[in-house]
Amino acid sequence: MNTFVLQLDEKAVQDLIEKLSSYSIQNNNAHVRFAAKFQETTILIYTSGKAVFQGKNVSETAQRLGFQTEPTYQDEESSDNLSFIGSDEVGNGSYFGGLAVVASFVQPSDYLFLKELGVDDSKNLTDAKIRQIAPLLEAKIPHKALLLTPQKYNQVVGPNHRHNAVSVKVAMHNQAIFLLLQEGAAPDKIVIDAFTSPNNYQKYVKGELNRFTNPISLEEKAEGKYLAVAVSSIIARKLFLDNLATLSQEIGFNLPSGAGTQSDKIASQILRTYGEDGLRHTAKLHFKNTKKAYQLLK
């Protein structure tokens, strides 16, 4: 998705609103004066006079609307005065440990602090670095962090339960973002690191009670594009690591992250010591590792 930002005077704003009046759409952002969907481009006009074009072919769209200056495409977070809610999850690919989802609200005034701190996709940072900077992020950046422990996960995810592995993430992302918006966050854009298709997301989110009308964007590798998503990935990683450490202490085994052969071996030892209740407390039972762990007992 490309973004083009214009700063307009009042006359230009009025002219643009008039041209787009028949294409207007609803937008509940209190800072958005007017919103429209023109062909494949979403156009937001803010109370500050800023106009943001987002979508495909924004250059052609701007020219059709009378803006002759060729737009310059930018990293969206370096665009003028754009604020983001970014949401990411950690733990969905790990057999042991819970599922952590975090949504963070990052404003332009935060960018320098985050870049100086070395904020990046959590997969590019060591666990030691994550443990070092996550508390600083938690203290400064508005965020909502949700943890679904393995015990609770196994009560709601899997055969004959309410959720599958995708719908539970939809529910958690939706709730984390909803809570941030309820506390007054007013983002120019909401981005979720893509874990499913937009159509699939919309199918599942219809079943959630706490809905919001702000548009969302699901983008692959969003943690490398948006500081807000990177912040969420770091806080979520720390939350997941802390939960894994707590479970390890409770069960008396060093629980690995991931879902490889080491997880199978540890799972079989837990089965031998505690039975399936031990796995239900520490692991996501619907993973194939459970079956492999039982096979190792034979």
Side-chain angles (χ1 to χ4, degrees), residues 84-87 102-107 109-110 113-114 136-145 176-177 179-181 183-186 227-229 231-232 235:
F84 293 83
I85 285 180
S87 190
V102 175
S104 302
F105 179 49
V106 170
Q107 303 174 78
S109 57
D110 300 317
F113 164 77
L114 296 177
L136 302 176
L137 297 175
E138 290 170 331
K140 182 173 178 62
I141 303 300
H143 67 282
K144 288 297 174 183
I177 295 167
L179 291 173
L180 262 184
L181 293 171
E183 291 193 352
L227 285 171
V229 182
V231 167
S232 292
I235 296 174

Side-chain angles (χ1 to χ4, degrees), residues 15 34 48 55 60 62 66 79 83 85 90 100 105 169 191 209 213 250-251 259 277:
D15 289 344
F34 178 83
S48 63
E60 291 84 347
S79 298
S83 298
I85 285 180
V90 173
F105 179 49
K169 286 186 281 187
V191 183
L209 293 177
T213 57
E250 291 174 351
I251 203 72
D277 283 346

